[in-house]
Each structure stands twice: as structure tokens, then as C-alpha cells.
Amino acid sequence: MNSIAIDGPAGAGKSSIAKALSKRLGYIYIDTGAMYRAVALFFLENNVADGTDSRIESLLDKLEISIKYEDGAQKVILNGEDVTGKLRLEEIGKLASKFSAIGIVREKLVALQRKLAQKENVVMDGRDIGTVVLPNANLKIYLSASSKVRAKRRYLELLEKGHTDLDINDIEDEIIKRDEADMNRKISPLKQADDAYYLDSSDITLEEVVSKILSMVKEER
Ligand code: DC
């Protein structure tokens, strides 16, 4: 099976790029951040405040996450319920970042992600795909952009989804804080894999990034 790993900080354009790439290549797109967000939602619904809660292990046994595709779009199913529409809020992103630092949470999701990549050609995005989940991926990209550009993209994404009452500076602060947490956690921190290509999408359009990656895919073949 072929796989493309895309890692990078929040709002770098990973999911838009991964979606476009998967369409062009006929691969399945797997958004691993959405899985961590679903775990966060589940813990939130069960009133788990942080990683020290003694119920985490038993709750994880009751947590079932799967993904399905509707018109090519990934849907996340949490214990039988499609929760996709509840996952994009920054509050959930923040919680996902917090709970993603817990070893047993990562073990469960990494196992699921590897299983999916064994069955299909995938474009997978996240924080540890090139370093941990798919160390033998055919192509690894580390995608970044300035925090200002990333905040603006998140702002526009939320606006388009109908959210009001948004402050772009607050969004940028949250993004910076989240990056710091993701880059400095003990287990599988966000970092560029040694064999990943670094791309900065601050000053080029996402379409240009997609073309660049497509030409890399051709070179790899
Ligand atoms: O990509 P995102 O914003 O949807 O991810 C939400 C959080 O989930 C992110 O801040 C850290 C965590 N995450 C992770 O630890 N590993 C991944 N492969 C994907 C996401």
C-alpha cells in the first residue's frame, strides 16, 4: 500500500491539502486530528477534566471510534454516533491537544490509524504520522506557515461554518499555545521527521502546495 504522511502545526492547511491530494491520487484521506477531537468530545461528555482522572483507562475501553466516507468526506463515528459536526470548535481542538498527550490514548488511536493504512492507499495528516504512525510512508511532508496566516485560515474556516463572535487575535494566541503543547509533550511530540520535506505555505496558495507535492509523488515513483 502507498502512503503520504503530512504533519505540521494547527491551521497550516494540512487537511485541505491532504483532501485535494487524496482526490487527485485516488487515495483515502485520513484526518487523525479528528480522531483525537472525538476522544476529547467523549472525555468532555464524561466530565473528565484532565489526564490525572483515574477513569481514563476504563473509559477508553468503552470508546469506539471508526471512520466512514460520505461523498468522499470523512465522517467520524463515536460509539455509533456521527460526531463530525461537533469537532471543529477551537475549544475541542484545545482539549484534543491536552488529551493527546496521554500515552494510552495515543496507543489506541495509532493502532487504528495503522490498521486503516494497511488496507488502503492513504494520505494521512496529523502530528506524528511521519515520525510514529507511518515511519515507512512513501512520502513525508512537514507543512508549516506563520501563526498569523494560520490564524486567518482558521478564522475564515469558522466563519464559513457559521460561527460568529470570533476574534482573530484570540485564535492566533490559542494556535500558538496549542503548537507549544504539541511540540513539547513527552510522547510523540510534533516534529519534522528526518526524511520529511519541509514546506511553508505562508506565501503560496494551497493549490500551489498541492502541485508541489504531486510533482514529488511523481518523482518518488
Ligand atoms: O489537527 P487538529 O487541529 O484537528 O488536531 C487536534 C489536536 O489533536 C492537536 O492539537 C494535537 C492532537 N493530534 C495529535 O496529537 N496527533 C495527531 N496525529 C493528530 C492530532
PDB file of all heavy atoms in Angstrom, residues 17 52 60 70 76 82 100-102 106-107 109 111 117 136 152 155-156 166 175 192 196 206 211:
ATOM      1  N   ILE A  17      -5.095  20.388   2.000  1.00  0.00           N
ATOM      2  CA  ILE A  17      -4.107  19.852   1.061  1.00  0.00           C
ATOM      3  C   ILE A  17      -4.233  18.326   0.961  1.00  0.00           C
ATOM      4  O   ILE A  17      -4.239  17.757  -0.134  1.00  0.00           O
ATOM      5  CB  ILE A  17      -2.695  20.295   1.491  1.00  0.00           C
ATOM      6  CG1 ILE A  17      -2.547  21.790   1.163  1.00  0.00           C
ATOM      7  CG2 ILE A  17      -1.607  19.480   0.825  1.00  0.00           C
ATOM      8  CD1 ILE A  17      -1.412  22.473   1.831  1.00  0.00           C
ATOM      9  N   THR A  52      -5.178  13.238  34.723  1.00  0.00           N
ATOM     10  CA  THR A  52      -4.976  12.550  36.005  1.00  0.00           C
ATOM     11  C   THR A  52      -6.226  11.781  36.434  1.00  0.00           C
ATOM     12  O   THR A  52      -6.209  11.057  37.426  1.00  0.00           O
ATOM     13  CB  THR A  52      -4.627  13.550  37.140  1.00  0.00           C
ATOM     14  OG1 THR A  52      -5.750  14.442  37.276  1.00  0.00           O
ATOM     15  CG2 THR A  52      -3.373  14.341  36.826  1.00  0.00           C
ATOM     16  N   LEU A  60     -11.644   4.480  28.135  1.00  0.00           N
ATOM     17  CA  LEU A  60     -11.083   4.176  26.807  1.00  0.00           C
ATOM     18  C   LEU A  60     -11.554   2.812  26.309  1.00  0.00           C
ATOM     19  O   LEU A  60     -11.714   2.605  25.110  1.00  0.00           O
ATOM     20  CB  LEU A  60      -9.558   4.205  26.852  1.00  0.00           C
ATOM     21  CG  LEU A  60      -8.888   5.569  26.690  1.00  0.00           C
ATOM     22  CD1 LEU A  60      -7.379   5.432  26.791  1.00  0.00           C
ATOM     23  CD2 LEU A  60      -9.258   6.239  25.365  1.00  0.00           C
ATOM     24  N   GLU A  70     -18.608   9.694   3.231  1.00  0.00           N
ATOM     25  CA  GLU A  70     -19.847  10.055   2.541  1.00  0.00           C
ATOM     26  C   GLU A  70     -19.484  11.080   1.486  1.00  0.00           C
ATOM     27  O   GLU A  70     -18.959  12.152   1.835  1.00  0.00           O
ATOM     28  CB  GLU A  70     -20.842  10.666   3.538  1.00  0.00           C
ATOM     29  CG  GLU A  70     -21.895   9.646   3.997  1.00  0.00           C
ATOM     30  CD  GLU A  70     -22.758  10.244   5.108  1.00  0.00           C
ATOM     31  OE1 GLU A  70     -23.085  11.454   5.023  1.00  0.00           O
ATOM     32  OE2 GLU A  70     -23.062   9.512   6.054  1.00  0.00           O
ATOM     33  N   VAL A  76     -16.583  10.944  11.316  1.00  0.00           N
ATOM     34  CA  VAL A  76     -16.068  10.242  12.489  1.00  0.00           C
ATOM     35  C   VAL A  76     -17.245   9.721  13.306  1.00  0.00           C
ATOM     36  O   VAL A  76     -18.147  10.484  13.671  1.00  0.00           O
ATOM     37  CB  VAL A  76     -15.199  11.186  13.356  1.00  0.00           C
ATOM     38  CG1 VAL A  76     -14.640  10.437  14.561  1.00  0.00           C
ATOM     39  CG2 VAL A  76     -14.072  11.761  12.529  1.00  0.00           C
ATOM     40  N   ASP A  82     -22.507   9.780  14.596  1.00  0.00           N
ATOM     41  CA  ASP A  82     -21.689  10.617  13.719  1.00  0.00           C
ATOM     42  C   ASP A  82     -21.474  11.964  14.418  1.00  0.00           C
ATOM     43  O   ASP A  82     -22.402  12.755  14.557  1.00  0.00           O
ATOM     44  CB  ASP A  82     -22.413  10.822  12.376  1.00  0.00           C
ATOM     45  CG  ASP A  82     -21.596  11.677  11.412  1.00  0.00           C
ATOM     46  OD1 ASP A  82     -20.581  12.264  11.845  1.00  0.00           O
ATOM     47  OD2 ASP A  82     -21.987  11.756  10.238  1.00  0.00           O
ATOM     48  N   SER A 100      -4.369  14.343  23.972  1.00  0.00           N
ATOM     49  CA  SER A 100      -3.499  13.597  23.062  1.00  0.00           C
ATOM     50  C   SER A 100      -2.111  13.358  23.666  1.00  0.00           C
ATOM     51  O   SER A 100      -1.322  12.601  23.121  1.00  0.00           O
ATOM     52  CB  SER A 100      -3.358  14.335  21.729  1.00  0.00           C
ATOM     53  OG  SER A 100      -2.573  15.494  21.901  1.00  0.00           O
ATOM     54  N   ALA A 101      -1.831  14.002  24.799  1.00  0.00           N
ATOM     55  CA  ALA A 101      -0.533  13.790  25.453  1.00  0.00           C
ATOM     56  C   ALA A 101      -0.528  12.518  26.299  1.00  0.00           C
ATOM     57  O   ALA A 101       0.520  12.112  26.815  1.00  0.00           O
ATOM     58  CB  ALA A 101      -0.201  15.002  26.317  1.00  0.00           C
ATOM     59  N   ILE A 102      -1.697  11.874  26.432  1.00  0.00           N
ATOM     60  CA  ILE A 102      -1.801  10.675  27.279  1.00  0.00           C
ATOM     61  C   ILE A 102      -1.418   9.430  26.469  1.00  0.00           C
ATOM     62  O   ILE A 102      -1.997   9.166  25.399  1.00  0.00           O
ATOM     63  CB  ILE A 102      -3.250  10.514  27.810  1.00  0.00           C
ATOM     64  CG1 ILE A 102      -3.670  11.783  28.568  1.00  0.00           C
ATOM     65  CG2 ILE A 102      -3.375   9.278  28.680  1.00  0.00           C
ATOM     66  CD1 ILE A 102      -5.145  11.813  28.934  1.00  0.00           C
ATOM     67  N   ARG A 106      -2.980   7.690  22.814  1.00  0.00           N
ATOM     68  CA  ARG A 106      -2.227   7.613  21.556  1.00  0.00           C
ATOM     69  C   ARG A 106      -2.113   6.170  21.073  1.00  0.00           C
ATOM     70  O   ARG A 106      -2.267   5.889  19.897  1.00  0.00           O
ATOM     71  CB  ARG A 106      -0.821   8.220  21.708  1.00  0.00           C
ATOM     72  CG  ARG A 106      -0.795   9.656  22.164  1.00  0.00           C
ATOM     73  CD  ARG A 106       0.492  10.355  21.758  1.00  0.00           C
ATOM     74  NE  ARG A 106       0.517  10.586  20.324  1.00  0.00           N
ATOM     75  CZ  ARG A 106      -0.083  11.611  19.722  1.00  0.00           C
ATOM     76  NH1 ARG A 106      -0.727  12.508  20.425  1.00  0.00           N
ATOM     77  NH2 ARG A 106      -0.031  11.734  18.409  1.00  0.00           N
ATOM     78  N   GLU A 107      -1.854   5.241  22.016  1.00  0.00           N
ATOM     79  CA  GLU A 107      -1.707   3.829  21.603  1.00  0.00           C
ATOM     80  C   GLU A 107      -2.946   3.356  20.873  1.00  0.00           C
ATOM     81  O   GLU A 107      -2.872   2.717  19.839  1.00  0.00           O
ATOM     82  CB  GLU A 107      -1.506   2.936  22.832  1.00  0.00           C
ATOM     83  CG  GLU A 107      -0.065   2.868  23.288  1.00  0.00           C
ATOM     84  CD  GLU A 107       0.049   2.242  24.668  1.00  0.00           C
ATOM     85  OE1 GLU A 107      -0.773   1.366  25.018  1.00  0.00           O
ATOM     86  OE2 GLU A 107       0.966   2.660  25.403  1.00  0.00           O
ATOM     87  N   LEU A 109      -5.313   5.121  19.310  1.00  0.00           N
ATOM     88  CA  LEU A 109      -5.552   5.753  18.008  1.00  0.00           C
ATOM     89  C   LEU A 109      -4.492   5.388  16.969  1.00  0.00           C
ATOM     90  O   LEU A 109      -4.810   5.180  15.796  1.00  0.00           O
ATOM     91  CB  LEU A 109      -5.669   7.272  18.167  1.00  0.00           C
ATOM     92  CG  LEU A 109      -6.880   7.740  18.970  1.00  0.00           C
ATOM     93  CD1 LEU A 109      -7.055   9.243  18.842  1.00  0.00           C
ATOM     94  CD2 LEU A 109      -8.175   7.058  18.524  1.00  0.00           C
ATOM     95  N   ALA A 111      -2.932   2.586  16.721  1.00  0.00           N
ATOM     96  CA  ALA A 111      -3.248   1.229  16.240  1.00  0.00           C
ATOM     97  C   ALA A 111      -4.329   1.291  15.165  1.00  0.00           C
ATOM     98  O   ALA A 111      -4.222   0.655  14.113  1.00  0.00           O
ATOM     99  CB  ALA A 111      -3.690   0.348  17.406  1.00  0.00           C
ATOM    100  N   ALA A 117      -4.261   2.227   7.267  1.00  0.00           N
ATOM    101  CA  ALA A 117      -3.255   2.404   6.208  1.00  0.00           C
ATOM    102  C   ALA A 117      -2.781   1.069   5.631  1.00  0.00           C
ATOM    103  O   ALA A 117      -2.139   1.044   4.582  1.00  0.00           O
ATOM    104  CB  ALA A 117      -2.076   3.191   6.756  1.00  0.00           C
ATOM    105  N   ASN A 136       7.392   4.354   7.564  1.00  0.00           N
ATOM    106  CA  ASN A 136       7.822   3.942   6.214  1.00  0.00           C
ATOM    107  C   ASN A 136       6.964   4.540   5.109  1.00  0.00           C
ATOM    108  O   ASN A 136       6.895   3.976   4.010  1.00  0.00           O
ATOM    109  CB  ASN A 136       7.802   2.414   6.098  1.00  0.00           C
ATOM    110  CG  ASN A 136       8.764   1.783   7.086  1.00  0.00           C
ATOM    111  OD1 ASN A 136       9.871   2.281   7.262  1.00  0.00           O
ATOM    112  ND2 ASN A 136       8.329   0.734   7.752  1.00  0.00           N
ATOM    113  N   LYS A 152      -5.579  33.264  10.411  1.00  0.00           N
ATOM    114  CA  LYS A 152      -6.530  33.812   9.431  1.00  0.00           C
ATOM    115  C   LYS A 152      -7.299  32.673   8.755  1.00  0.00           C
ATOM    116  O   LYS A 152      -8.510  32.764   8.563  1.00  0.00           O
ATOM    117  CB  LYS A 152      -5.775  34.657   8.407  1.00  0.00           C
ATOM    118  CG  LYS A 152      -6.711  35.392   7.504  1.00  0.00           C
ATOM    119  CD  LYS A 152      -6.070  36.523   6.767  1.00  0.00           C
ATOM    120  CE  LYS A 152      -7.089  37.116   5.800  1.00  0.00           C
ATOM    121  NZ  LYS A 152      -6.459  37.616   4.608  1.00  0.00           N
ATOM    122  N   TYR A 155      -9.827  31.329  11.169  1.00  0.00           N
ATOM    123  CA  TYR A 155     -10.889  32.333  11.314  1.00  0.00           C
ATOM    124  C   TYR A 155     -11.886  32.194  10.157  1.00  0.00           C
ATOM    125  O   TYR A 155     -13.099  32.112  10.367  1.00  0.00           O
ATOM    126  CB  TYR A 155     -10.238  33.717  11.330  1.00  0.00           C
ATOM    127  CG  TYR A 155     -11.182  34.881  11.316  1.00  0.00           C
ATOM    128  CD1 TYR A 155     -11.789  35.310  12.491  1.00  0.00           C
ATOM    129  CD2 TYR A 155     -11.455  35.570  10.136  1.00  0.00           C
ATOM    130  CE1 TYR A 155     -12.661  36.393  12.483  1.00  0.00           C
ATOM    131  CE2 TYR A 155     -12.322  36.647  10.118  1.00  0.00           C
ATOM    132  CZ  TYR A 155     -12.922  37.047  11.297  1.00  0.00           C
ATOM    133  OH  TYR A 155     -13.778  38.105  11.282  1.00  0.00           O
ATOM    134  N   LEU A 156     -11.360  32.147   8.936  1.00  0.00           N
ATOM    135  CA  LEU A 156     -12.226  32.056   7.756  1.00  0.00           C
ATOM    136  C   LEU A 156     -12.996  30.729   7.730  1.00  0.00           C
ATOM    137  O   LEU A 156     -14.169  30.688   7.368  1.00  0.00           O
ATOM    138  CB  LEU A 156     -11.404  32.216   6.466  1.00  0.00           C
ATOM    139  CG  LEU A 156     -10.788  33.607   6.269  1.00  0.00           C
ATOM    140  CD1 LEU A 156      -9.871  33.635   5.062  1.00  0.00           C
ATOM    141  CD2 LEU A 156     -11.884  34.676   6.133  1.00  0.00           C
ATOM    142  N   LEU A 166     -16.047  35.897  16.637  1.00  0.00           N
ATOM    143  CA  LEU A 166     -14.687  35.370  16.545  1.00  0.00           C
ATOM    144  C   LEU A 166     -13.685  36.513  16.639  1.00  0.00           C
ATOM    145  O   LEU A 166     -13.903  37.572  16.076  1.00  0.00           O
ATOM    146  CB  LEU A 166     -14.489  34.662  15.199  1.00  0.00           C
ATOM    147  CG  LEU A 166     -15.396  33.476  14.886  1.00  0.00           C
ATOM    148  CD1 LEU A 166     -15.327  33.136  13.411  1.00  0.00           C
ATOM    149  CD2 LEU A 166     -15.002  32.272  15.729  1.00  0.00           C
ATOM    150  N   ILE A 175      -3.711  29.135  18.904  1.00  0.00           N
ATOM    151  CA  ILE A 175      -2.917  28.305  17.986  1.00  0.00           C
ATOM    152  C   ILE A 175      -1.467  28.198  18.482  1.00  0.00           C
ATOM    153  O   ILE A 175      -0.887  27.115  18.504  1.00  0.00           O
ATOM    154  CB  ILE A 175      -2.982  28.911  16.548  1.00  0.00           C
ATOM    155  CG1 ILE A 175      -4.272  28.454  15.857  1.00  0.00           C
ATOM    156  CG2 ILE A 175      -1.781  28.529  15.720  1.00  0.00           C
ATOM    157  CD1 ILE A 175      -4.404  28.946  14.434  1.00  0.00           C
ATOM    158  N   GLN A 192       9.424  17.499  12.800  1.00  0.00           N
ATOM    159  CA  GLN A 192       9.641  17.078  11.420  1.00  0.00           C
ATOM    160  C   GLN A 192      10.433  15.769  11.420  1.00  0.00           C
ATOM    161  O   GLN A 192      11.472  15.667  12.087  1.00  0.00           O
ATOM    162  CB  GLN A 192      10.429  18.178  10.693  1.00  0.00           C
ATOM    163  CG  GLN A 192      10.610  17.876   9.221  1.00  0.00           C
ATOM    164  CD  GLN A 192      11.349  18.990   8.488  1.00  0.00           C
ATOM    165  OE1 GLN A 192      11.555  20.066   9.032  1.00  0.00           O
ATOM    166  NE2 GLN A 192      11.732  18.715   7.264  1.00  0.00           N
ATOM    167  N   ALA A 196      11.473  13.946   6.095  1.00  0.00           N
ATOM    168  CA  ALA A 196      10.297  14.682   5.582  1.00  0.00           C
ATOM    169  C   ALA A 196      10.754  15.928   4.819  1.00  0.00           C
ATOM    170  O   ALA A 196      11.781  16.528   5.152  1.00  0.00           O
ATOM    171  CB  ALA A 196       9.399  15.088   6.743  1.00  0.00           C
ATOM    172  N   LEU A 206      -2.741  27.166  -1.350  1.00  0.00           N
ATOM    173  CA  LEU A 206      -2.818  25.738  -1.048  1.00  0.00           C
ATOM    174  C   LEU A 206      -2.764  24.926  -2.353  1.00  0.00           C
ATOM    175  O   LEU A 206      -2.211  23.830  -2.377  1.00  0.00           O
ATOM    176  CB  LEU A 206      -4.074  25.425  -0.235  1.00  0.00           C
ATOM    177  CG  LEU A 206      -4.132  26.111   1.146  1.00  0.00           C
ATOM    178  CD1 LEU A 206      -5.333  25.634   1.953  1.00  0.00           C
ATOM    179  CD2 LEU A 206      -2.869  25.887   1.955  1.00  0.00           C
ATOM    180  N   SER A 211       0.239  21.147  -5.973  1.00  0.00           N
ATOM    181  CA  SER A 211       1.011  20.835  -7.194  1.00  0.00           C
ATOM    182  C   SER A 211       2.429  20.419  -6.856  1.00  0.00           C
ATOM    183  O   SER A 211       2.974  19.498  -7.450  1.00  0.00           O
ATOM    184  CB  SER A 211       1.119  22.020  -8.145  1.00  0.00           C
ATOM    185  OG  SER A 211      -0.036  22.704  -8.204  1.00  0.00           O
TER     186      SER A 211
END
